[in-house]
Amino acid sequence: SDWSSDVCSSDLVSLLGVVPLIAAQGVVPGDGTAEGRKGAGLLRRNGIPHTQICIVGALLRIQRISQEDAVFLARKAYKAGIRFFDTARAYTDSEVKLGEAFDGIRTEVYIATKTAAQNAEDFWKDLHTSLTNLRTDYIDLYQFHNPAFCPKPGDGSGLYEAMQEAKAKREIVGKGSGRWHLIGHLQTNKAKQAVAIFDMIESADSVHLMQAVNKEAAKAGKVQEILLQVNIAREEQKTGFSPEDYEAVVPELDDFKNLHVRGLMVIAP
């Protein structure tokens, strides 16, 4: 089997940052076969513990049974040690059934699903429908389902770019699995995107930037965590408050209602 065939190219494997599992072929990592051993290695290298795989729709056809029976079956599979469940938008109501089955234990399982979209607009519709059906805010592995062509940058379909954007927004690849920090200079015109993506901004280096971030955080209904960047080395090529400017800005922090200053990010000589 070609382990990159499900996502078309090695470029897309790198883009997704996840393991391209050939679920439709029923390959089970660690099952003793050459492909199984290869799969187990891929899982380990990507930080996913050894696990059994359940292919919903292709092998375990829960779309053909009632909601109650499907939920019971999926939970029984979970109790039996299965942690990776693969489904698709094309598998009728299987996403809805999995969503109910794993409600409350989402972080305990890995969920893959697929889109057969041929353009960016349909990609986003499918992704958001899947998120709703699965009762989650992220998908561990999102795949193009039997694509007629391999999405590539600038090919006019917008699919490659949409997948990149979905990854940046953390709607795929483990949004709920950790905290995201922005390290490095942030331009004020990127404040909206930074507030939407990051839990912590470690480079609040000017009052002007803090004002922009505070404004966008207020619009988003969020209190944005930040670190004040202080350039104690006083190096002109580096951004950040000077020690004197930092002392002057501290009394003004209460004016930023949507910022939570957690500490300092100090640039040493």
Side-chain angles (χ1 to χ4, degrees):
S1 302
D2 179 0
W3 277 81
S4 66
S5 64
D6 214 23
V7 286
C8 297
S9 70
S10 58
D11 288 340
L12 198 51
V13 173
S14 175
L15 163 67
L16 290 172
V18 292
V19 186
L21 298 170
I22 308 304
Q25 296 177 354
V27 173
V28 179
D31 66 359
T33 65
E35 289 301 323
R37 290 192 296 272
K38 187 175 182 180
L42 281 169
L43 289 171
R44 287 194 298 272
R45 288 195 296 276
N46 283 270
I48 300 175
H50 177 68
T51 184
Q52 297 183 59
I53 295 176
C54 180
I55 300 90
V56 177
L59 297 180
L60 182 63
R61 299 183 182 276
I62 63 173
Q63 67 268 44
R64 296 184 179 180
I65 59 179
S66 69
Q67 180 88 6
E68 181 180 0
D69 288 344
V71 170
F72 173 82
L73 187 59
R75 289 177 179 171
K76 187 172 183 178
Y78 169 80
K79 290 177 181 178
I82 293 175
R83 293 295 182 270
F84 187 101
F85 292 82
D86 182 284
T87 183
R89 285 290 305 115
Y91 300 162
T92 61
D93 62 353
S94 65
E95 288 182 335
V96 174
K97 290 168 177 172
L98 283 187
E100 180 177 342
F102 301 133
D103 193 20
I105 57 169
R106 173 64 183 91
T107 59
E108 303 298 318
V109 296
Y110 298 95
I111 296 179
T113 191
K114 315 176 191 71
T115 174
Q118 299 294 303
N119 56 67
E121 182 179 358
D122 289 341
F123 173 96
W124 289 112
K125 288 179 181 177
D126 277 357
L127 176 56
H128 292 146
T129 298
S130 292
L131 291 170
T132 299
N133 289 346
L134 291 164
R135 303 188 188 185
T136 185
D137 58 2
Y138 69 99
I139 293 168
D140 297 290
L141 173 59
Y142 199 49
Q143 305 157 90
F144 293 120
H145 200 178
N146 296 327
F149 60 95
C150 181
K152 297 181 182 297
D155 66 5
S157 71
L159 289 172
Y160 190 98
E161 291 78 7
M163 189 71 84
Q164 283 185 312
E165 185 178 348
K167 181 182 177 183
K169 290 180 176 179
R170 291 177 292 155
E171 292 180 319
I172 56 175
V173 196
K175 178 174 182 177
S177 60
R179 287 171 51 81
W180 290 57
H181 289 220
L182 172 63
I183 300 173
H185 179 63
L186 172 64
Q187 297 177 318
T188 55
N189 64 348
K190 301 294 185 181
K192 181 176 180 179
Q193 293 94 319
V195 167
I197 295 172
F198 295 100
D199 300 296
M200 167 82 77
I201 296 174
E202 295 195 5
S203 49
D205 56 10
S206 70
V207 172
H208 183 52
L209 176 60
M210 291 169 62
Q211 290 170 338
V213 172
N214 185 70
K215 179 180 178 181
E216 296 300 335
K219 290 180 181 178
K222 174 183 180 181
V223 176
Q224 177 67 53
E225 295 184 3
I226 65 169
L227 298 181
L228 297 180
Q229 181 170 309
V230 182
N231 184 1
I232 60 173
R234 303 177 189 275
E235 296 182 54
E236 293 184 1
Q237 69 271 27
K238 295 179 180 178
T239 61
F241 293 99
S242 69
E244 295 79 14
D245 289 340
Y246 160 70
E247 292 179 2
V249 79
V250 168
E252 302 178 21
L253 295 180
D254 286 341
D255 295 335
F256 298 98
K257 304 300 183 184
N258 289 83
L259 299 183
H260 182 194
V261 180
R262 296 296 302 272
L264 305 179
M265 199 283 281
V266 179
I267 302 177

